């Protein structure tokens, strides 16, 4: 295992233990429950938008599952909370693209954009684990879409 792989593995293990963003939002505008039917990992994602609807003001999640899914949720939380909806869309697309690349080397721009989430590059080599890493990101996308629709009505 290379030093880079070891560092990425340590980032994932640390994030799965620390669980940033775990909790509940009383006045959430969007909520999504997602389950990985392959392994049973699950999460409930809640979001609250800024008053003008352009930013994710608050993001919280609750979940149970493997270290990959829990670490992905924790790192995702740190990346997206406070960001504009457009920035979050870009991050979700970049993470999804990384998972689709099946372990190929990330270019510097994508690695910079994803920050600690780039640690999941190695996970993308294992199709059974990709769903674990994507679980929270799919929940975030769904919860954000619900919040936007709710605010527009």
């Amino acid at each position: 295992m290379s030093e880079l792989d070891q560092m990425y593995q340590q980032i994932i293990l640390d994030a799965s233990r620390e669980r940033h963003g775990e909790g509940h939002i009383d006045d959430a505008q969007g909520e999504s429950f997602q389950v990985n039917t392959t392994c049973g990992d699950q999460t409930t994602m809640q979001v609250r938008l800024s008053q003008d609807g352009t930013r994710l003001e608050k993001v919280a999640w609750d979940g149970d599952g493997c270290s990959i899914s829990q670490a992905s949720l924790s790192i995702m939380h740190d990346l997206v909370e406070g960001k504009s909806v457009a920035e979050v869309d870009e991050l979700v697309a970049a993470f999804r693209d990384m998972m689709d690349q099946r372990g190929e080397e990330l270019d510097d721009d994508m690695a910079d954009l994803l920050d600690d989430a780039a640690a999941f590059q190695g996970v993308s080599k294992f199709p059974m684990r990709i769903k674990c890493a994507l679980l929270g990101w799919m929940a975030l996308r769904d919860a954000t879409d619900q919040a936007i629709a709710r605010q527009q009505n």
Side-chain angles (χ1 to χ4, degrees):
M1 181 182 292
S2 74
E3 285 184 37
L4 183 61
D5 289 339
Q6 289 175 349
M7 183 185 77
Y8 283 168
Q9 187 175 44
Q10 191 60 50
I11 289 170
I12 291 171
L13 291 173
D14 289 347
S16 73
R17 285 189 288 260
E18 293 173 11
R19 296 175 161 231
H20 295 177
E22 189 173 31
H24 178 80
I25 302 172
D26 289 334
D27 57 347
Q29 296 165 310
E31 181 174 310
S32 179
F33 175 73
Q34 300 287 321
V35 176
N36 180 348
T37 56
T38 305
C39 65
D41 290 359
Q42 57 184 314
T43 189
T44 299
M45 178 69 57
Q46 295 180 307
V47 301
R48 184 178 62 225
L49 299 176
S50 60
Q51 204 163 20
D52 65 2
T54 62
R55 296 196 165 279
L56 288 184
E57 184 176 277
K58 183 78 178 158
V59 176
W61 61 274
D62 184 34
D64 189 31
C66 68
S67 60
I68 292 171
S69 68
Q70 303 304 287
S72 183
L73 283 155
S74 180
I75 289 171
M76 179 195 67
H77 169 269
D78 292 349
L79 280 175
V80 303
E81 191 169 68
K83 295 265 172 71
S84 72
V85 172
E87 290 170 318
V88 171
D89 286 345
E90 183 180 14
L91 285 165
V92 171
F95 194 82
R96 179 75 198 208
D97 286 349
M98 180 178 68
M99 289 294 119
D100 289 343
Q101 291 180 5
R102 307 291 166 127
E104 288 182 27
E105 193 74 26
L106 296 178
D107 65 46
D108 290 343
D109 290 339
M110 184 180 268
D112 287 345
L113 176 67
L114 290 172
D115 198 25
D116 279 352
F120 293 91
Q121 175 194 7
V123 172
S124 70
K125 297 176 192 170
F126 305 99
M128 295 298 289
R129 307 308 268 169
I130 291 172
K131 288 182 177 179
C132 300
L134 283 171
L135 182 70
W137 294 82
M138 298 301 101
L140 175 69
R141 179 73 266 157
D142 185 39
T144 303
D145 288 346
Q146 290 179 30
I148 291 168
R150 186 174 175 184
Q151 210 170 48
Q152 291 174 345
N153 290 331

